Structure formats: structure tokens, C-alpha cells
Amino acid sequence: MNEMQSTVAAPTPLPLFSLLDVEKSFPIDGGRRQLKALDGIRLTLNPGESVALVGESGSGKSTLVRVMLGLEQATNGRVLVGAGDLSALDAAQRKHFARDVAYIYQDARGSLNPRATTAALLAEPIRLHRLRDEREIPARVDELLDQVGLPRATRHRYPSELSGGQVRRVAVARALACEPKVIVADESVAGLDVSVQAQLLNLLRDLQKANGLALVFVTHDLGVAAYLCERVAVMYLGRIVEMGPTNDILQAPRHPYTQALMKAFPRFDAPLTISLHGEIPSPADLPSGCRFRTRCQYVQDDCSRIDPAQVRLDGDRHVACLHPL
């Protein structure tokens, strides 16, 4: 009699990050009022996944990243790292977290010690986390330079001797030196020539796939988000107003704000259409009801009374709108 072999399904890995109704407020006017920079954020990041945080300046993208990195404490809600609460990590766990989650600053040059050579900058996190024996560090530095497409002679140069594109590559290499699970990049190609931007985007995409890294990329550029990330979270005044697979959102946006961002995005084959009217309101003085209603061309009467919650539509689409497109 043949024995039946039972197949046990592998357990689903935990998300790297789970943000559960996260809020972040800052006191203003001597504490008499609160500026709500984040309001009810729900977001997960799974191993190997790439997510773009997209929105205008003042939408809360950078504040969200700082909360995820533990640089700011959430006012309400929870930030989970795996199964643990980020705010409850002890010193040893925080050191491990700092290795697993690497941050590429928007001001890459300003984030690097100007008195240290490229070799010293790349060796520092290797020594800090004891990832190699001392005699193996020079070879690891050369390997990192190769990974980001820099000549090995760069190891002897200081940040002031490098071009803008080279400095960004050194910042990427320094992030990779930690052997992280997640890379968080804040506007990491902003201010560069288009050709250099393309090189860096190709580099980040290739490294992310080759190393199985998760990526959180902060940008105001939908074109960059579409090229680099498989999921997009569109932010407006501290809230994620639309989230889902990149291709689905770009082909058929469901929130009026996403649609307006796409129409306002420059294209070579069409004239620029200014469809996003008005200035973004102050987070300290939000409109009643829907926070986008003062700029929305589809506004209806109930939009001034009801603040829409983020709800799931079809598939993996989430939208915070009373009348989704």
C-alpha cells in the first residue's frame, strides 16, 4: 500500500513593514494647534517589492519615510517591522534594523563625510555591522564600486572630487554595503541631467532585482514611479488617496487627484495641459470633508461633509474617494 505524501505549504513571509492607521502631528502656534502631516496611513511592504510614494511637495512623503525609519515617532497608529513594533525595539534590535533598512538621502553629497575617501565611506558600514574580516574589506569595497559602475580608482577620491551622478552612485554603494533587505530612496535622482537620471534609475532597478531587495522610492515624478516600481501609493495632504499596481493606476486612475497629476505631467507627444488647479491647502487648516475637494473638478455636495476613508475597490486597488472615477 502506497503511502500518501502530504505537501505542506510554505508559510507566507511576513511583510517587512506594516503601517496601521499611522498618524503624525506636529504642534504649532505654541502648541495651540496641531499640524497633521500624516493621517490614517495604511501601507505594507513585502520582501522584494518596489513601492513608489508619489505626490506634490507637502503631501507627507518624506514624513512618512522618516516614521518608517524610526526617525520620527508616530503620534497614533503602529509601525510594524515584521511582527514587532518599531517603537518597542531594544538597542540590539535597532542596530539590526539599521542594517536591514538602508536610506539614500535626497542630498547625497551632504550625507557623506567630506573628509573621508570613497573607500572609507564604503568600509564604515561594513565595519560597523561586522560583515567582513578586516583583510576582506578592500576587496568588498572594490566589489561595491563594480556593482554601481564606478571605476576602482574612485576609492581614493573625496566627495568634493566627484560629479553629482558619481556621488549618487557612492550613496547607493554605501547603502548596499550594509547588505540590507530594504532600500529607501528619497528623490534620489532629482536635480540631475536626464541622461544621468536614466543611468541611476537603471542601476537601482537592476540592483533591486538582482539582490532581491525591497525598494521604497519617494518621488513627485509619475514617469519615474512607472519605470522603477511595481506599486504606487499616491499621497495628498498626509493621506494615501490611491494605491495599487503601477500599470493599473497609470492606465485607469480612479482618484481625481491621480488623474490630474497624470494630465499635468509633461509629454513629448502632446502639449502640456494644466489640469491641477490651485495650491495645496495647509495641513494645519484642512478643508471640511474631502481634503481634495477644493481642487477637484468632479466635486459634489457630499464631498464637503464626508471625509472619505481608504477602501478597497477591485483587485488590489485602494482609493479614498466618495465618487471614484
Side-chain angles (χ1 to χ4, degrees):
M1 185 176 178
N2 294 332
E3 293 183 358
M4 296 183 63
Q5 296 182 349
S6 60
T7 302
V8 179
T12 303
L14 288 170
L16 297 173
F17 279 99
S18 300
L19 278 67
L20 309 177
D21 296 319
V22 169
E23 298 180 3
K24 178 61 182 177
S25 298
F26 297 96
I28 58 175
D29 295 339
R32 292 188 297 274
R33 291 195 300 157
Q34 294 289 318
L35 186 152
K36 185 165 281 191
L38 299 176
D39 186 8
I41 296 292
R42 300 175 190 172
L43 180 69
T44 59
L45 178 70
N46 294 307
E49 188 176 41
S50 54
V51 176
L53 301 178
V54 181
E56 297 170 279
S57 297
S59 61
K61 306 184 300 295
S62 294
T63 302
L64 175 54
V65 164
R66 291 182 62 81
V67 169
M68 289 179 67
L69 295 173
L71 302 176
E72 297 279 359
Q73 183 80 29
T75 307
N76 282 306
R78 301 180 68 194
V79 179
L80 301 182
V81 181
D85 197 308
L86 178 59
S87 63
L89 299 183
D90 59 27
Q93 291 170 325
R94 283 197 170 275
K95 185 175 180 180
H96 192 74
F97 173 78
R99 175 192 164 182
D100 284 346
V101 184
Y103 186 35
I104 302 174
Y105 290 84
Q106 181 175 356
D107 181 8
R109 194 182 300 275
S111 70
L112 302 176
N113 183 351
R115 298 181 180 180
T117 63
T118 298
L121 291 168
L122 299 185
E124 183 181 28
I126 301 172
R127 290 193 179 98
L128 176 65
H129 297 290
R130 300 179 181 178
L131 300 176
R132 296 288 190 280
D133 290 335
E134 188 65 31
R135 63 180 180 275
E136 297 174 332
I137 290 179
R140 176 57 176 157
V141 168
D142 287 341
E143 181 183 338
L144 290 167
L145 292 173
D146 291 343
Q147 277 189 287
V148 299
L150 286 172
R152 293 188 176 182
T154 310
R155 61 173 15 259
H156 304 297
R157 300 173 68 183
Y158 293 87
S160 61
E161 300 175 304
L162 302 176
S163 68
Q166 290 172 327
V167 165
R168 304 290 175 101
R169 289 175 184 266
V170 170
V172 173
R174 184 172 161 88
L176 292 173
C178 298
E179 300 177 10
K181 296 178 181 177
V182 185
I183 287 182
V184 180
D186 189 354
E187 298 277 11
S188 296
V189 297
L192 298 175
D193 291 341
V194 173
S195 60
V196 179
Q197 285 191 25
Q199 293 170 11
L200 278 171
L201 290 174
N202 286 331
L203 172 64
L204 283 171
R205 189 175 69 168
D206 293 345
L207 289 173
Q208 189 245 337
K209 294 185 182 299
N211 295 281
L213 299 171
L215 175 67
V216 177
F217 195 86
V218 177
T219 181
H220 63 276
D221 191 325
L222 276 169
V224 168
Y227 182 76
L228 193 60
C229 297
E230 58 194 18
R231 286 177 64 216
V232 169
V234 180
M235 295 190 66
Y236 186 75
L237 278 177
R239 182 172 291 177
I240 295 176
V241 295
E242 182 164 9
M243 179 169 58
T246 303
N247 290 335
D248 293 350
I249 286 180
L250 295 183
Q251 290 174 9
R254 303 297 300 273
H255 196 283
Y257 178 60
T258 310
Q259 184 191 65
L261 282 180
M262 291 178 61
K263 288 183 177 180
F265 186 72
R267 292 171 51 187
F268 290 109
D269 60 345
L272 180 61
T273 302
I274 305 298
S275 58
L276 190 52
H277 299 286
E279 295 292 331
I280 187 169
S282 168
D285 189 20
L286 293 173
S288 62
C290 175
R291 59 196 62 204
F292 185 60
R293 68 174 178 82
T294 57
R295 306 173 74 190
C296 181
Q297 61 176 319
Y298 305 106
V299 63
Q300 299 187 31
D301 290 342
D302 56 350
C303 297
S304 64
R305 302 191 306 271
I306 302 172
D307 186 6
Q310 184 187 114
V311 297
R312 182 190 291 271
L313 298 180
D314 51 314
D316 195 28
R317 299 289 294 275
H318 295 77
V319 176
C321 182
L322 298 176
H323 308 285
L325 305 176

